[in-house]
Amino acid sequence: MSQKILFVDRDGTLIEEPADFQIDAYEKLRFVKGVIPAMLKLRDAGFQFVIVTNQDGLGTEGYPRESFDGPNDLMLQIFESQGISFREVLVDCSWPADKAPTRKPELGLVMHYLRDRGIDLDHSAMVGDRETDIRFAENLGIRGFQLKTAQFGGGWDWAGIAHALADAPRTASVRRKTKETDIRVEVDLDRVADPKVSTGLPFYDHMLEQIGKHGGFALEIQTTGDLHIDEHHTIEDTALALGEALKQALGDKRGIGRYGFTLPMDETLAQVALDFSGRPYLVFDGSFQRERVGDMPTELVEHFFRSLCDSAGVNINVQVRGDNDHHKIEGSFKALARALRQAIKREGSELPSTKGAL
């Protein structure tokens, strides 16, 4: 799993900025309100931290290096004592007039992050107190947050930033278009809403609605497929798109329950165990007597589960027993939904794996 980075300015962002804009003495060291609890929350949400700071003329007679190092080292030690460490501290010592390529908003100091495929820039962010920090974020292609200060404006505080990044709704929108099908799937795993499903196959719609309803999340699916040929592409491709949407919305999977469900339906007993392990594998133990239930071929029930399994990167084990094929199919979809409900529920911020990635 790629790593999320929170790039942070130093003066005015982590520590308060004095009137002369230089923290060159211990007595000038003051932490910005709320920074430590917010960064602990972001650490637990999977972020690593990188300081990127402009220090005008650092190393010159007017701003000796030793007057910077003492307060800076103490700041880092205090953060470390509270469980917050920094992956890197990147300092540009130039003057604004130098127009150095390493000075924010330029990217000279962070070019190695652009080349590192292990970095998740899509979910990384920058926090600063100046407009140059926001331009830096734009140049890097990440989200920028400008802290609210009397000196430079801005509209965010640290608590709000931590909420926006750590508690962000897990949503995804997937468009899958081939010569056979045109599909749009939208999910919001943290919102309950009536499912909206249209595939051209009413029984299949009914089964997919079970996933949203009993899964406890907002689900919208709109599928146009080549039903004049048969149902195969519509059922398969919709499952693939749904699986991809679930995978995207779960992100790094921190805090999820991961596993799940047994469900009775009249004479039928359906059991679905699943694991968002990142390793797709399906076991389907069940059979059907009828060729079709409604407009859905029963041979495509297992195929639905396999397609979903492959695109979501989930291990699914299905066992279903009963006499009525309608009940057996619906029970399987409902059991899948309840298993998803258990597995996607956020219960904290820990990654449920000893491997360090899912």
Side-chain angles (χ1 to χ4, degrees), residues 1 247 250 252-253 256-259 274-282 309 312-316 343 351-353 355-358:
M1 181 66 64
K247 183 177 181 180
L250 284 170
D252 62 11
K253 303 175 188 173
I256 67 169
R258 182 176 169 180
Y259 302 101
L274 60 79
D275 175 11
F276 277 101
S277 61
R279 301 182 303 276
Y281 197 93
L282 174 69
C309 172
V314 60
N315 176 199
I316 303 178
L351 187 68
S353 172
K355 298 177 183 295
L358 281 175

Side-chain angles (χ1 to χ4, degrees), residues 101-250:
T102 52
R103 183 181 179 86
K104 288 182 299 181
E106 303 305 320
L107 302 180
L109 287 177
V110 296
M111 290 302 294
H112 51 299
Y113 289 103
L114 289 172
R115 294 189 292 266
D116 189 341
R117 294 187 178 181
I119 301 300
D120 180 7
L121 288 177
D122 289 338
H123 296 95
S124 295
M126 171 70 190
V127 180
D129 65 321
R130 305 193 187 203
E131 190 270 338
T132 51
D133 295 311
I134 302 306
R135 284 166 49 204
F136 171 85
E138 292 171 352
N139 290 340
L140 195 52
I142 61 177
R143 188 174 181 181
F145 296 89
Q146 186 176 0
L147 280 175
K148 184 177 182 180
T149 65
Q151 293 164 314
F152 303 110
W156 289 89
D157 60 16
W158 269 108
I161 292 168
H163 174 69
L165 291 174
D167 301 330
R170 297 169 298 167
T171 62
S173 179
V174 170
R175 176 81 181 275
R176 178 183 174 87
K177 188 172 184 178
T178 69
K179 292 181 178 179
E180 291 123 358
T181 57
D182 187 356
I183 302 165
R184 179 182 58 82
V185 176
E186 295 186 2
V187 299
D188 184 340
L189 303 185
D190 299 304
R191 181 170 66 89
V192 177
D194 289 336
K196 299 178 181 178
V197 179
S198 176
T199 67
L201 298 170
F203 183 77
Y204 189 38
D205 291 351
H206 183 47
M207 296 302 99
L208 293 170
E209 287 167 356
Q210 306 305 316
I211 294 176
K213 182 65 174 179
H214 295 284
F217 60 91
L219 172 65
E220 295 188 20
I221 299 175
Q222 181 71 47
T223 299
T224 303
D226 56 354
L227 295 177
H228 60 286
I229 296 176
D230 72 2
E231 305 85 358
H232 187 104
H233 297 139
T234 292
I235 292 173
E236 177 184 53
D237 289 2
T238 301
L240 289 171
L242 174 58
E244 179 60 31
L246 290 171
K247 183 177 181 180
Q248 288 186 21
L250 284 170

Side-chain angles (χ1 to χ4, degrees), residues 10 68-78:
R10 195 189 79 132
F68 169 85
D69 287 342
N72 189 68
D73 289 345
L74 178 59
M75 177 197 74
L76 295 175
Q77 289 169 16
I78 293 171

Side-chain angles (χ1 to χ4, degrees), residues 3-7 42-43 46-50 85 87:
Q3 178 62 55
K4 298 180 292 187
I5 301 292
L6 186 72
F7 298 93
L42 291 166
R43 178 204 65 184
F47 283 88
Q48 291 184 356
F49 306 117
V50 174
S85 59
R87 178 172 173 148

